Amino acid sequence: MTASGGTADLRAGAEVQQLAAVTVPAPAFVPACPGAGKTHVITMRHLQSSARLLRQGRALISFTRVARDQMARRCRQAGRSDLVQAPHFIGTLDSFLWEFLVKPVRDAEPAPRMLESWASIKAPVQGLDRDIPLHRFPMTLDPSSVPAREAIAWDKIDYDTQRLLDASVYDRETWQEQVLRTRTSWCKLGYFTGHETRVLALWNLRTPDKAARLLPPLLSRFAEVVVDEAQDCSAADLAVLELLHDAGLPLVLVGDPDQAIYAWRGAEPVALQRLAARLTSAPLPLNGNWRSSPVICRLASTLRDGQRPPDTAVVRDDAIPIVVLPTRFAASGSKHRHVPTSEGIVEAFRNVALGYGIGAKDCLVTAYKYATLPGITREKPNTNQITSLAWAHTAAHADGASSSELIRACSIAVRALFGYWFPDESGSTERLCAAHRLSVQQVNRTAFAFLHSLPAPHKDWSADVWQAMKAWPSPPDASPQGTKGRLAGKPVVARTVVATGVRTNIVHQLKGDEADAVMLMLPDAGSVQRWAHGDPASDEMLRIWYVAITRARRLAALAVSEGEVASLTRLLGRHEVPVRVA
């Protein structure tokens, strides 16, 4: 395929599809394959807006701050800073629901504040026979009932919390009542998370007097609302959007049901398809892939629902085959070995990529679980405080720690110190700092210095931490009380970063990411059998693998157990996918 011939025709066809999506009237549904340029299409649609100040604007909604910032940046780069200001709105779905469907009907005092999670503040569930932090109780929301029914997601409770509950004399119903009472008390203080925001948004839209206050300003302000990555919407999100559609707010949903990988937080591809059918009878598909090679597009099609043909590789004609790496998997991600060479599997992948002219900085290794990957062991949710602090210590001392990991580490250290300094006080860092006239920036610097002063974690580390807490300079009005705030137990020590120069992350953190070379690690027995016979419409794991593979631009590699190499190469051969075993 020559750049002047077939590739130019493919590019022209993909651009025609994009233009149709840019100009289609709302309401509309735009199913978009990986690498289809969704952000480009949404931004171009926004850039069509008149430069003069209009009463009505457009809301661009995403699920991540990264996507939000990217859309805003592109508008500014195009010389249209007006498009990131009122009456327009560019933000996350959480912030949209909060700003337009919750805050306008909330009391001004106490000042409402939306949290990332209840873990952001010290919020224990008390009053029974043990104290358990509120964030350890994940909640579900059934929007089909009126009012929307809330319940604890008992099947998603972590192991440590389950052990505490099993040892309690109180049953689950009593715990749930206490959890809801505790949550309500914090909401009365002005604290909410994304879950409560959705509960309130649904309630407000279904309550006539509240809806009468919310909807007219919303309909007056926005000519349309564009939702990016619509496949990530939960059932509650879709219920809110459907109510807005019924109220007359024009919606444009852009997404890829094949990339729906967030069932654990309520994403429902079937519900999305139902809403999409209400928006339009003729979706405008984007199936031109501006990211990946034809080989990678063909590989991805083997993991897609409906046995549809591969997407069209628009700008690449690389013929690099799919590389299969026989792997001996170990309990630790840093000990996975490449069978033919006995070197670490990440090093082997890096060397294979280098053979195709791809450097380490352009390589990405991914897996379903953090435990499969080399690098810093990620902080597990709902672990005890001493283990969280041990993780924070490792992250603070690791050369490969990301900025988000360092921010998280600092937050954990702040909570530990505040638990000792102000043992009977609850609330966010900001609220406690305000109450004690402390600078948040200075507190963060103090906590980080405290973290660096600690010795490396070991089985009796809690005693060292306790002595350091007592010796560390405290604020003037700190009021320690005996052993309150002491972090008890033995920490689970996090491993340190393996310096390979290759990025690593789990698949769920890769939306919007890409690399020249991507290796997906498949350590579980039966993975090839699952690939061959599973149904992507019902098996989320196949969709997770699909997302991982489609992050690759030039080279996709698969690390599988040595016993599954032959069956994988046969499977891909049946689909006419070029394969190389390395």
Side-chain angles (χ1 to χ4, degrees):
M1 184 182 298
T2 63
S4 60
T7 302
D9 291 339
L10 295 176
R11 180 189 290 267
E15 288 174 344
V16 168
Q17 284 188 337
Q18 290 185 334
L19 179 60
V22 166
T23 57
V24 63
F29 174 55
V30 180
C33 76
K38 295 191 303 298
T39 302
H40 170 74
V41 166
I42 292 171
T43 307
M44 289 303 298
R45 185 180 182 92
H46 197 34
L47 288 171
Q48 305 304 309
S49 305
S50 171
R52 63 188 178 86
L53 185 61
L54 298 176
R55 185 182 179 197
Q56 282 196 306
R58 178 183 285 107
L60 305 185
I61 297 175
S62 64
F63 277 84
T64 66
R65 295 188 181 94
V66 172
R68 173 201 66 188
D69 294 344
Q70 186 179 23
M71 289 188 288
R73 183 169 59 252
R74 291 190 182 189
C75 289
R76 293 189 180 98
Q77 289 171 345
R80 296 296 306 277
S81 296
D82 59 298
L83 295 180
V84 301
Q85 302 167 3
H88 307 289
F89 173 87
I90 301 179
T92 63
L93 181 59
D94 279 1
S95 62
F96 178 84
L97 299 179
W98 178 252
E99 290 295 331
F100 300 108
L101 298 179
V102 176
K103 268 182 68 176
V105 292
R106 294 295 306 172
D107 293 334
E109 294 295 337
R113 181 185 170 196
M114 189 174 172
L115 305 171
E116 290 279 348
S117 159
W118 290 116
S120 303
I121 63 174
K122 183 181 175 183
V125 178
Q126 299 174 313
L128 300 181
D129 55 356
R130 61 206 62 227
D131 295 351
I132 301 178
L134 182 57
H135 71 269
R136 289 194 172 192
F137 294 94
M139 301 295 295
T140 62
L141 180 63
D142 177 10
S144 63
S145 61
V146 180
R149 185 180 303 110
E150 294 182 86
I152 292 174
W154 296 107
D155 59 327
K156 294 182 174 64
I157 294 230
D158 65 274
Y159 176 75
D160 290 337
T161 304
Q162 190 59 60
R163 289 184 61 189
L164 289 172
L165 293 171
D166 289 344
S168 173
V169 299
Y170 295 96
D171 58 20
R172 287 186 172 186
E173 182 178 353
T174 303
W175 272 103
Q176 178 160 292
E177 291 173 353
Q178 193 68 4
V179 166
L180 292 175
R181 276 196 292 268
T182 301
R183 195 274 308 275
T184 299
S185 69
W186 282 101
C187 289
K188 289 179 178 178
L189 294 175
Y191 290 109
F192 302 89
T193 71
H195 174 84
E196 289 74 40
T197 298
R198 283 156 175 77
V199 172
L200 291 170
L202 280 169
W203 173 258
N204 292 341
L205 288 174
R206 289 170 172 173
T207 304
D209 62 324
K210 293 184 182 294
R213 292 173 58 189
L214 292 169
L215 289 173
L218 196 63
L219 297 174
S220 175
R221 175 166 175 173
F222 296 117
E224 70 176 29
V225 171
V226 184
V227 182
D228 188 18
E229 303 286 7
Q231 76 278 352
D232 294 339
C233 287
S234 67
D237 297 335
L238 293 169
V240 170
L241 292 174
E242 189 163 16
L243 288 168
L244 294 176
H245 170 69
D246 291 341
L249 186 63
L251 301 178
V252 178
L253 304 186
V254 184
D256 181 5
D258 292 314
Q259 296 188 65
I261 62 172
Y262 293 102
W264 56 273
R265 69 183 188 197
E268 290 197 3
V270 175
L272 170 62
Q273 296 287 15
R274 285 198 300 267
L275 177 56
R278 292 196 59 198
L279 298 182
T280 178
S281 59
L284 287 174
L286 298 176
N287 52 29
N289 188 320
W290 297 74
R291 176 189 300 150
S292 302
S293 71
V295 173
I296 294 169
C297 288
R298 181 168 289 279
L299 174 66
S301 69
T302 68
L303 286 166
R304 198 159 59 181
D305 181 31
Q307 298 183 334
R308 303 191 305 281
D311 297 318
T312 302
V314 176
V315 296
R316 298 190 184 280
D317 57 4
D318 302 74
I320 300 175
I322 303 305
V323 175
V324 175
L325 297 168
T327 306
R328 186 172 296 116
F329 290 99
S332 169
S334 59
K335 296 181 180 179
H336 302 325
R337 314 308 294 179
H338 180 230
V339 174
T341 64
S342 293
E343 62 185 348
I345 189 61
V346 176
E347 289 82 354
F349 166 60
R350 181 185 59 188
N351 292 336
V352 167
L354 188 60
Y356 290 107
I358 303 172
K361 66 181 178 62
D362 295 316
C363 293
L364 172 65
V365 174
T366 188
Y368 172 58
K369 297 178 180 178
Y370 279 125
T372 306
L373 297 171
I376 300 175
T377 300
R378 267 58 177 185
E379 184 201 13
K380 295 181 179 180
N382 306 331
T383 53
N384 59 34
Q385 285 186 288
I386 194 67
T387 292
S388 289
L389 192 65
W391 173 88
H393 182 278
T394 301
H397 287 78
D399 293 335
S402 67
S403 59
S404 62
E405 287 170 333
L406 293 175
I407 291 170
R408 178 67 183 151
C410 186
S411 173
I412 290 169
V414 169
R415 285 210 315 270
L417 288 173
F418 274 11
Y420 172 65
W421 290 339
F422 313 112
D424 293 328
E425 298 183 43
S426 300
S428 66
T429 297
E430 291 78 5
R431 186 165 287 188
L432 287 172
C433 284
H436 295 277
R437 298 182 180 180
L438 300 173
S439 161
V440 174
Q441 291 77 15
Q442 184 58 49
V443 166
N444 286 335
R445 287 193 291 269
T446 298
F448 209 71
F450 169 74
L451 202 55
H452 268 275
S453 74
L454 297 173
H458 54 87
K459 67 178 182 178
D460 298 319
W461 194 52
S462 61
D464 292 338
V465 172
W466 178 238
Q467 293 303 320
M469 276 185 174
K470 292 191 293 183
W472 200 256
S474 60
D477 58 347
S479 54
Q481 297 178 23
T483 59
K484 284 189 176 182
R486 179 168 183 170
L487 309 185
K490 296 180 180 180
V492 177
V493 181
R495 63 177 183 269
T496 57
V497 154
V498 178
T500 62
V502 175
R503 289 188 294 130
T504 66
N505 215 334
I506 61 169
V507 182
H508 287 94
Q509 298 296 325
L510 293 183
K511 283 294 187 73
D513 203 351
E514 59 185 64
D516 278 353
V518 173
M519 178 172 69
L520 170 62
M521 304 184 76
L522 301 172
D524 296 331
S527 292
V528 177
Q529 181 79 0
R530 188 172 195 167
W531 192 320
H533 302 291
D535 178 8
S538 56
D539 189 344
E540 188 184 43
M541 185 61 72
L542 298 181
R543 301 197 296 272
I544 290 171
W545 296 347
Y546 175 81
V547 169
I549 288 167
T550 55
R551 303 308 96 190
R553 290 189 286 256
R554 298 180 56 208
L555 166 65
L558 302 167
V560 297
S561 298
E562 52 186 322
E564 298 204 42
V565 170
S567 56
L568 179 58
T569 55
R570 286 195 299 270
L571 167 65
L572 299 184
R574 288 197 298 271
H575 290 280
E576 300 181 352
V577 178
V579 180
R580 170 196 167 196
V581 178

